[in-house]
Amino acid sequence: LMVQSYSSLEQELLRCKFSFPILDKLSAYLLEKGSFAGRKIGWHCHLTALTAASADVLLKAGAELFMSECSQATTDRSAVSYMQKQGAQVY
C-alpha cells in the first residue's frame, strides 16, 4: 500500500474535483470547442481552492485570466500562488 501525501491545497483541489464533476465536463467541452482561446476575462471574487479549480478550466480553455480579491479574509494565499503558476494574473 502506497500512501500519497498531499498539501492542503492539493487536497482541496481534489475535493473540488470530486464535489463538482461539472468542472471536468466543462473543461473537456471548452477544450473541444476552443471557445475561450484568446479571450480576456476579468474576475473579482473570493480567491479560494474552488476558485482555483474553476480558474483551471478557463486557463486550459485558452482564456487570459485577470483576477482580484473581493475580501482579504477569504483569500487563500496558496490558491493565489497556484493560480499565478497556472498563468492567471492575480491582484
Side-chain angles (χ1 to χ4, degrees), residues 7-26:
S7 71
S8 292
L9 179 63
E10 287 172 322
Q11 288 174 347
E12 281 297 303
L13 290 173
L14 288 172
R15 185 187 62 76
C16 290
K17 241 184 150 175
F18 178 77
S19 299
F20 300 95
I22 188 73
L23 292 175
D24 281 338
K25 292 177 183 178
L26 181 59

Side-chain angles (χ1 to χ4, degrees), residues 67-82:
M67 306 179 78
S68 62
E69 69 180 3
C70 62
S71 172
Q72 287 183 346
T74 59
T75 296
D76 179 338
R77 296 291 168 209
S78 61
V80 169
S81 178
Y82 174 82

Side-chain angles (χ1 to χ4, degrees), residues 40-44 64-67:
K40 294 179 181 182
I41 298 174
W43 192 358
H44 182 68
E64 191 174 349
L65 194 53
F66 301 88
M67 306 179 78

Side-chain angles (χ1 to χ4, degrees), residues 23-37:
L23 292 175
D24 281 338
K25 292 177 183 178
L26 181 59
S27 183
Y29 175 81
L30 292 175
L31 282 171
E32 178 185 321
K33 300 294 181 184
S35 57
F36 281 95

